[in-house]
Amino acid sequence: MKQNILLGALLVAIALLIALPWFAPFFYIFIFTEILILGLFAVSFNLIFGYTGMLSFGHAAYFGMGAYTTAMLLLHLDWPFVYTLFAAMILSGLLALVIGFLCVRLSEVYFAMLTLAFGMMVFTIAHSWREVTNGSDGIAGFRISEFGLGLDLMMGNPAVYYHVTLVIVGIGAAILFVISRSSFGMILKAIRQNPERVAFCGLNIRTYRLAAFTIGGIFAGLSGALIAPFLRVASPELMHWSMSAEPVLMSILGGTGYFLGPFVGAAMFVLLETWITSFTESWMLFLGIVLALMVMFFRKGVLGTFLDWWMKKND
């Protein structure tokens, strides 16, 4: 009964997301497009952190790689948009594979600091290599001429881009959900809880950690590929360590132990930022206070705390 109610609530939420452009002004279409993209970014991070127990401070490197890949392919080669998404996922996955191979040998704070170091190295390259990345100005002036796959979509229309983003994010989230519920996902959870016991079972922990790290990088690249046309620019700021902090906050805010937690966290983060900036220029101070209070009083995240309360109430 409880599961049916939760499933019904999820279906209603999906229906509202699909119908959003038909009743909401463009401002909210832009807001929810950003929420979807950052939600996928946060879910890809949560596969590394929430399921495997590895705290990465360099996840934005793959997000930015996806953005730059899409921007360059659209600007210089005018590829169909869908093909740039696959290219972004491949290049971001390769970058994650290389960095992950060097990082998964370490654990806990050493792993976190090494990912931060590599993330800032990637940011510095993007910021300094002006011949390729255009430096701090980033890459702009590109457009989506066609979506691909024989579909004639007006990608310049915010409502159309929102629906395309919704479908792509939905597919990406569904794949990550299947991964998290598979035997591979169960092993990742076991590694997070007790890596020594998993090693005693004869499993190579580093291999599983590297696989999770690479998969997270692939889908971070996909979200980055979606953010570049949305922002109309791919800039080094998308690779900065402060950008890597956002999926950390979103995952903790929504609840790392729940698959949809990062999406809830992304929605709250973006909506709070939008609301606070409409009142004050010192939005980071007030946003930090609100987020700190939420993390302090919602130990399992907003979604996790709500589900626990609802389950106890209906026992």
Side-chain angles (χ1 to χ4, degrees):
M1 182 63 180
K2 295 178 181 178
Q3 291 182 345
N4 291 335
I5 295 176
L6 293 176
L7 179 60
L10 178 60
L11 292 176
V12 169
I14 293 173
L16 288 174
L17 287 174
I18 294 173
L20 181 71
W22 302 331
F23 64 84
F26 274 160
F27 174 77
Y28 290 103
I29 295 174
F30 286 122
I31 292 296
F32 277 87
T33 302
E34 183 180 5
I35 288 173
L36 288 171
I37 295 171
L38 293 181
L40 180 61
F41 182 36
V43 170
S44 70
F45 166 80
N46 199 45
L47 182 71
I48 300 171
F49 177 56
Y51 283 83
T52 319
M54 299 185 294
L55 178 57
S56 172
F57 285 129
H59 204 58
Y62 324 115
F63 184 69
M65 175 61 80
Y68 270 102
T69 301
T70 293
M72 289 182 180
L73 291 176
L74 290 176
L75 181 64
H76 299 298
L77 299 179
D78 198 23
W79 277 21
F81 182 56
V82 69
Y83 300 139
T84 70
L85 299 180
F86 288 117
M89 293 172 71
I90 292 170
L91 291 180
S92 299
L94 290 174
L95 179 63
L97 179 64
V98 172
I99 294 177
F101 179 78
L102 301 172
C103 292
V104 297
R105 300 169 181 270
L106 303 176
S107 59
E108 298 178 351
V109 68
Y110 304 103
F111 171 86
M113 291 299 100
L114 192 56
T115 57
L116 174 61
F118 278 114
M120 290 310 295
M121 286 172 59
V122 175
F123 165 78
T124 303
I125 292 172
H127 192 273
S128 305
W129 199 2
R130 294 194 62 87
E131 295 80 3
V132 176
T133 64
N134 202 28
S136 59
D137 295 329
I139 298 176
F142 54 87
R143 65 183 183 86
I144 303 175
S145 59
E146 60 176 313
F147 177 79
L149 302 179
L151 298 176
D152 185 18
L153 301 176
M154 297 179 60
M155 297 298 292
N157 186 327
V160 173
Y161 192 79
Y162 167 82
H163 275 134
V164 169
T165 299
L166 179 61
V167 171
I168 294 171
V169 169
I171 294 172
I175 294 172
L176 286 171
F177 179 76
V178 171
I179 291 173
S180 67
R181 290 301 181 96
S182 66
S183 57
F184 173 77
M186 296 299 105
I187 293 174
L188 294 183
K189 289 183 179 180
I191 291 174
R192 180 196 64 194
Q193 295 172 357
N194 196 324
E196 291 80 9
R197 182 171 295 179
V198 175
F200 288 152
C201 294
L203 298 176
N204 190 322
I205 293 178
R206 288 182 182 175
T207 300
Y208 280 93
R209 282 177 170 169
L210 179 58
F213 196 91
T214 304
I215 294 170
I218 289 172
F219 285 94
L222 176 60
S223 59
L226 292 169
I227 202 72
F230 174 71
L231 297 178
R232 298 291 193 271
V233 65
S235 64
E237 282 68 28
L238 296 176
M239 296 179 168
H240 196 260
W241 68 265
S242 58
M243 192 69 202
S244 293
E246 290 193 11
V248 179
L249 288 173
M250 293 171 187
S251 297
I252 295 175
L253 184 59
T256 59
Y258 302 85
F259 182 80
L260 293 177
F263 276 109
V264 174
M268 298 190 66
F269 184 89
V270 173
L271 291 173
L272 279 171
E273 180 182 348
T274 303
W275 178 65
I276 293 173
T277 51
S278 66
F279 289 98
T280 175
E281 293 182 358
S282 304
W283 64 271
M284 292 188 69
L285 172 63
F286 293 96
L287 179 63
I289 293 173
V290 172
L291 292 177
L293 291 173
M294 286 187 173
V295 171
M296 289 171 60
F297 293 103
F298 295 87
R299 296 296 180 87
K300 292 185 178 181
V302 173
L303 179 63
T305 303
F306 169 77
L307 289 177
D308 279 0
W309 168 82
W310 188 78
M311 290 291 186
K312 291 178 180 177
K313 181 181 178 181
N314 292 274
D315 279 340

